[in-house]
Amino acid sequence: MSTPQLVVHHDKELMAQAAAARLITKIVDAQASRGSASVVLTGGRNGNGLLAALAAAPARDAVDWGRLELWWGDERYLPEGDPERNDTQAREALLDAVPLDPKRVHTMPASDGPHGDDVEAAAAAYAEELARAAGPENHGAVPTFDVLMLGVGPDTHVASLFPELPAVRETERTVVGVHGAPKPPPTRVSLTLPAIRSAREVWLLAAGEDKAQAAAIALSGAGEIQAPAAGARGRARTLWLLDSAAASQLPRSLYPPASS
C-alpha cells in the first residue's frame, strides 16, 4: 500500500475547490488512457462540498460524463430518496446536473428495495454488482477504481467502518451490512477495507477543528481496528486533503506537499 501524502488548504472552501479540480483532472486522464473512469463517492459535508464545487467548476465540461462509472463507499440503509441517503445528497449536489449514463451509476440498495430489512442481503447484492464489473485485469472481486474518496469522521471512521466494530475487522468480503453504528442511522451498507484498498488512489477528506484529532491519530501510526482511517490506503497513492483546522494537530514533519 502507498504511503499517505498530505495537501493542506487554508479553509474548507478552498479544499473543496482544489479537490474538485484534482478530480476532474484524474477523470479526464483516465478516460483518455482507458476510455472510461471509475470513481467511488463519499457522503458527508466534505464529500458533498466537493461535489458542489465540481458542479460549479467551469472545467466540469471537460469530463465525458457518459463514460464515468460511479460507485459509493457506503450508504445509510434508508428508503430510496430519503434526504439522509448519500446518493440523494449526491444527486442534489451534482449528479442531476450532469449527463450521466444511468447504467453506470451504481447506487447501494435502499431499505424499501427487494431486500427489505435484510441489510446483509443488500450488501451481498452490491458485492455481486462489484464482482460483475471487475475484469480479468483487476485484482479480486471489485473493479480497480481510479479514485475512491472517503470522509473522515471525528472518531476516525471512514465509509461506515467504525472503530472496533465487526465491519472494520472484515478481511474476506468486499461489502458488509453494518448494525449498531454509533452515528445514526444505525443500519448501513459499507465497502470493507479490502475493497477500499483495491483503488488506484484513495483520497481522505477532512475539514474543520472537529476532525483535527482524528487526522492526527490516523496519521500517527495507529492501528486500523482502533482508527479505520489509518487502514484506508490506495495501491498507487493515498492522499489526505485537509484544511488548516483539520491539520492543526499534525506535526509539521507531516506537511510536505504531495506531488500533482
Side-chain angles (χ1 to χ4, degrees):
M1 293 188 296
S2 55
T3 300
Q5 297 174 295
L6 275 68
V7 178
V8 180
H9 298 281
H10 178 68
D11 55 42
K12 65 181 181 180
E13 289 80 13
L14 287 175
M15 186 189 90
Q17 292 164 8
R22 187 184 292 272
L23 183 60
I24 290 170
T25 299
K26 287 295 177 184
I27 292 171
V28 170
D29 287 350
Q31 290 178 335
S33 62
R34 291 185 296 278
S36 65
S38 179
V39 173
V40 180
L41 301 180
T42 185
R45 67 175 189 251
N46 293 319
N48 292 323
L50 185 156
L51 294 183
L54 203 164
R60 82 179 202 189
D61 294 334
V63 172
D64 184 341
W65 295 100
R67 293 190 293 133
L68 177 62
E69 300 277 345
L70 289 180
W71 303 86
W72 269 261
D74 76 318
E75 187 55 274
R76 299 168 170 100
Y77 201 54
L78 297 168
E80 184 174 357
D82 189 288
E84 292 301 310
R85 277 180 62 89
N86 289 333
D87 68 329
T88 304
Q89 295 173 7
R91 291 182 191 281
E92 293 175 353
L94 171 68
L95 306 191
D96 285 346
V98 292
L100 293 161
D101 179 352
K103 296 178 182 177
R104 294 177 178 238
V105 180
H106 306 276
T107 56
M108 287 183 161
S111 63
D112 59 347
H115 311 292
D117 293 335
D118 191 346
V119 69
E120 297 297 343
Y126 203 67
E128 290 172 8
E129 188 170 355
L130 285 164
R132 288 194 298 270
E137 73 280 6
N138 299 129
H139 301 264
V142 295
T144 302
F145 311 115
D146 291 296
V147 176
L148 185 150
M149 296 183 289
L150 297 167
V152 179
D155 60 355
T156 73
H157 85 266
V158 290
S160 285
L161 305 177
F162 293 89
E164 305 286 354
L165 291 190
V168 77
R169 301 175 185 273
E170 179 64 45
T171 59
E172 300 295 331
R173 292 178 293 171
T174 58
V175 188
V176 293
V178 176
H179 305 270
K183 179 181 178 182
T187 307
R188 298 158 174 252
V189 179
S190 182
L191 296 188
T192 62
L193 286 177
I196 289 169
R197 291 169 184 156
S198 72
R200 290 186 176 88
E201 298 199 9
V202 170
W203 298 1
L204 297 105
L205 313 174
E209 291 182 7
D210 61 327
K211 306 296 180 71
Q213 185 176 24
I217 291 170
L219 288 164
S220 68
E224 63 195 37
I225 305 300
Q226 295 76 29
R233 303 282 185 95
R235 288 163 56 194
R237 195 179 203 189
T238 303
L239 194 60
W240 280 73
L241 302 173
L242 307 164
D243 73 350
S244 57
S248 62
Q249 294 186 29
L250 296 176
R252 296 298 299 184
S253 60
L254 290 178
Y255 265 58
S259 58
S260 59

